[in-house]
Amino acid sequence: MSDQAAGLRAWHQRQHAAVSATPLLVLGAPADDELERALAALPSPGGRGWRPVTPAAAADLAAVRHRLLWFDVVHSEVAEVYRALKRLAAAEPGLPVLLLVSAEPDPVTAQVLDNLMTTARHFLGLTLMREPQRWLTPRR
C-alpha cells in the first residue's frame, strides 16, 4: 500500500516552489520542454527558479520585473514579435528583455535579430540582451 499523504506532500511542495519562484514574463511560444530547459539553465535572482507568466495571465505587465523574448528561428514572425515588444514597452519601457533564440541562427536570421534589437532600443526604449548575467545585473 502506498503512502497517500506522499502525493499530497509532493503536490504541496510543487505549489510552494511555483509561488516562491520569480515570475518571468514570456513573450513568444516555446514548447514546454524547450522552455523548461531554458529556464533551468538561466540563473535566477535568489536561486528561487523561474515561474513563467504569459502576457494574457499577467494582471499587470509592469509588476513583472523580468522579461524574456523567445525567438523561434523557424516559426517566429518578426512583425508579430515587434508588436508584442511594442505592447510591452507601453507597460514599462525601461526594463531589459532577455532574448533567447531557439537555435543558432543562420546569417540572414542573425541580421534580422540585430535589426530587431536596434529597432527595439531606438523606437521602443527596450534593451534586448543575449547574455543572462548582464540581463540580471541591476542597472545604475
Side-chain angles (χ1 to χ4, degrees), residues 98-130:
L98 179 63
L99 173 62
L100 286 184
V101 181
S102 65
E104 190 60 37
D106 60 71
V108 172
T109 305
Q111 183 61 52
V112 167
L113 288 173
D114 286 345
N115 293 346
L116 180 65
M117 294 172 77
T118 302
T119 303
R121 183 178 57 251
H122 184 71
F123 292 105
L124 303 177
L126 289 175
T127 303
L128 301 181
M129 297 181 168
R130 299 285 306 266

Side-chain angles (χ1 to χ4, degrees), residues 5-21 48:
L8 288 175
R9 283 192 298 272
W11 176 83
H12 182 267
Q13 287 173 339
R14 283 192 306 274
Q15 295 301 321
H16 180 68
V19 169
S20 66
R48 298 180 308 204

